[in-house]
Amino acid sequence: MLEDGKFGKYGGIFVPELIIPALEELEEAFYKYKDDPEFNEELKFYLKEFAGRPTNLYFAENLSKKFGCRVYLKREDMLHTGAHKINNTLGQGLLAKYMGKTRLIAETGAGQHGIATAVVGALFKLPADVYMGSEDVERQKMNVFRMELSGGKVIPVETGSKTLKDAINEAFRDWITNVENTHYLIGSTMGPHPYPTMVKHFQSVIGEEARRQIMEKEGKLPDAVIACVGGGSNAMGIFAGFAADDEVELIGVEGGGDGTETPRTGATLCKGTEGILHGSLSFVLQDQDGQINEAHSVSAGLDYPGVGPEHAHMKVTGRANYVAVTNKEALRGFELLSKYEGIIPALESSHAVAYAEKYASMEENKGKTIIINLSGRGDKDMFIVAKEMGVEV
Ligand SMILES: *Cc1c(COP(=O)(O)O)cnc(C)c1O
């Protein structure tokens, strides 16, 4: 029997009747194994030996001096495949194995989640079919190649706008037909229940570690935790460690694109309205008729017109604040961290860095301790950044 999967009024299960049995089976397995000692022992092994956990909580001394705050970086960029996504793909991949599934499917936008799924498929010997909009296939040839090298099969999607949201629709279609042997490995805290809860669970290792590490290093909790928000999984993962500590300010940073006052933005919580997308009620970028708008951000991972429903709940209850940072500001964040710390962040994470600078510049925040979740590394973004900076490489 499925729970309602709600966060306040958000979340839930808004899917065709045909998908319900698959969600029921998944919910049952997730609740069965999430507290199972053998499952957790094995997951812990792979998180450590394959992915490289725990990640460091690094005191960024130079940036701290520049900002006038104590700045810590949670180094998810140091994980295998270069971002936090592997925490979730290892968790769900292992769950699929325990469920006796013999095939993985996934959606991917720029390809990062597809890569994290393909490598887990290789590790667990599960073939992985990755749905990807044909526009994205064209734009991200290198990532398609990386997925294929790890044995993933990329299936170009020609419907709709031929991007991420269409890839998700196609993946659901596949799942309905092949649920017997197939697990649909969703890449963020979105979709119908139990996905938002399950993905948060597998990402909450970030927050658990960060809380322990900051207590060791500072002897107290941070004043603020800042993370970028696309679908919301890296933010939800680190927020989870501090959500019960009311004194810790939680700040989610969305991809503002050209600015929230323009149509070219990915700031779903800042600019969107309530609506249903991909199986749950949350905030959505849509027009007055409920047609989904195209999202835009210089960083592919923040380029999604929806957002995880628990973030919607945290926004309306005020537990977390959501802000937007423009492409231009994010590029400054990218350059700042590279120059001051010798750490090249993903463009997604650069949004969190950029907002941290703004936060630190406010008079009332002088001297505060902040943790930035460095969700990924920037190698994948080199060509985009060089182009934006007018540098030829
Ligand atoms: C995919 C991605 C994101 C955005 O996804 P969330 O689910 O919001 O975390 C952020 N940072 C990096 C490095 C990514 O690859």
Side-chain angles (χ1 to χ4, degrees):
M1 193 42 206
L2 276 170
E3 290 174 4
D4 71 4
K6 292 223 167 130
F7 309 96
K9 67 191 267 205
Y10 301 103
I13 303 163
F14 295 89
V15 295
E17 200 64 35
L18 277 166
I19 308 184
I20 299 285
L23 294 173
E24 277 175 346
E25 185 192 349
L26 181 59
E27 183 199 54
E28 191 186 326
F30 170 58
Y31 285 143
K32 177 173 169 196
Y33 290 118
K34 86 179 176 56
D35 300 315
D36 178 72
E38 192 191 323
F39 178 85
N40 283 313
E41 214 33 61
E42 200 172 341
L43 179 56
K44 217 169 127 186
F45 171 84
Y46 287 113
L47 285 171
K48 176 168 182 276
E49 302 290 334
F50 186 71
R53 300 212 75 88
T55 60
N56 290 334
L57 184 71
Y58 178 70
F59 179 62
E61 193 178 345
N62 303 332
L63 208 61
S64 294
K65 283 211 181 97
K66 168 143 182 75
F67 284 5
C69 273
R70 293 185 68 74
V71 182
Y72 283 88
L73 306 172
K74 183 60 174 157
R75 299 291 308 273
E76 297 297 295
D77 61 313
M78 297 293 278
L79 290 172
H80 177 43
T81 66
H84 69 290
K85 289 199 169 73
I86 194 82
N87 302 323
N88 172 50
T89 55
L90 276 174
Q92 284 195 52
L94 194 63
L95 184 64
K97 225 175 88 168
Y98 273 64
M99 290 172 77
K101 303 292 179 189
T102 54
R103 172 179 177 251
L104 299 175
I105 57 172
E107 81 291 344
T108 200
Q112 294 306 113
H113 175 56
I115 291 165
T117 301
V119 300
V120 163
L123 174 70
F124 294 144
K125 300 198 245 349
L126 297 170
D129 287 349
V130 180
Y131 286 90
M132 187 171 188
S134 59
E135 282 281 330
D136 292 330
V137 170
E138 262 317 296
R139 284 189 292 215
Q140 305 284 346
K141 289 205 177 108
M142 188 65 86
N143 280 347
V144 170
F145 185 49
R146 285 170 78 189
M147 283 183 257
E148 287 170 350
L149 281 174
S150 300
K153 194 174 123 209
V154 177
I155 305 174
V157 173
E158 304 286 352
T159 52
S161 56
K162 305 177 187 177
T163 59
L164 177 60
K165 74 174 165 53
D166 313 290
I168 296 173
N169 292 335
E170 285 307 312
F172 270 115
R173 257 176 226 135
D174 180 319
W175 199 33
I176 294 174
T177 329
N178 300 301
V179 64
E180 283 289 300
N181 70 344
T182 299
H183 173 64
Y184 177 17
L185 209 166
I186 289 186
S188 191
T189 43
M190 42 147 300
H193 173 74
Y195 284 102
T197 300
M198 178 170 67
V199 176
K200 173 190 179 176
H201 173 78
F202 289 130
Q203 290 292 359
S204 60
V205 63
I206 306 173
E208 280 160 30
E209 284 176 10
R211 192 178 197 286
R212 193 175 63 240
Q213 291 165 323
I214 196 78
M215 291 308 286
E216 277 164 20
K217 289 179 190 239
E218 289 280 320
K220 65 176 177 72
L221 290 169
D223 296 296
V225 174
I226 303 177
C228 65
V229 176
S233 69
N234 85 88
M236 202 47 84
I238 196 161
F239 287 179
F242 303 94
D245 306 304
D246 284 335
E247 67 272 35
V248 180
E249 214 182 321
L250 305 177
I251 303 170
V253 187
E254 296 193 297
D258 290 345
T260 50
E261 72 287 357
T262 76
R264 280 171 59 82
T265 182
T268 311
L269 287 163
C270 293
K271 200 191 175 181
T273 48
E274 280 176 11
I276 292 166
L277 178 63
H278 298 135
S280 60
L281 175 68
S282 184
F283 280 60
V284 185
L285 292 171
Q286 57 190 339
D287 68 16
Q288 280 162 342
D289 302 326
Q291 292 294 320
I292 306 304
N293 293 340
E294 293 263 325
H296 168 74
S297 168
V298 69
S299 85
L302 305 187
D303 197 354
Y304 175 58
V307 64
E310 195 170 1
H311 284 293
H313 181 58
M314 289 177 103
K315 175 188 162 83
V316 300
T317 57
R319 178 61 194 95
N321 292 322
Y322 296 89
V323 295
V325 151
T326 64
N327 289 343
K328 221 171 146 188
E329 291 168 328
L331 284 161
R332 174 171 162 80
F334 182 97
E335 288 182 57
L336 263 182
L337 197 64
S338 304
K339 184 168 155 193
Y340 279 85
E341 295 293 343
I343 296 170
I344 300 179
L347 273 173
E348 291 84 358
S349 324
S350 302
H351 286 69
V353 176
Y355 188 75
E357 186 184 29
K358 282 195 192 179
Y359 178 90
S361 73
M362 295 173 202
E363 203 44 50
E364 67 271 25
N365 295 332
K366 284 277 165 262
K368 283 189 175 173
T369 303
I370 55 189
I371 299 178
I372 300 171
N373 197 24
L374 208 62
S375 55
R377 63 171 135 92
D379 306 46
K380 69 183 176 61
D381 297 318
M382 283 300 133
F383 286 106
I384 300 169
V385 174
K387 195 172 151 216
E388 295 286 336
M389 289 170 71
V391 175
E392 236 176 278
V393 287

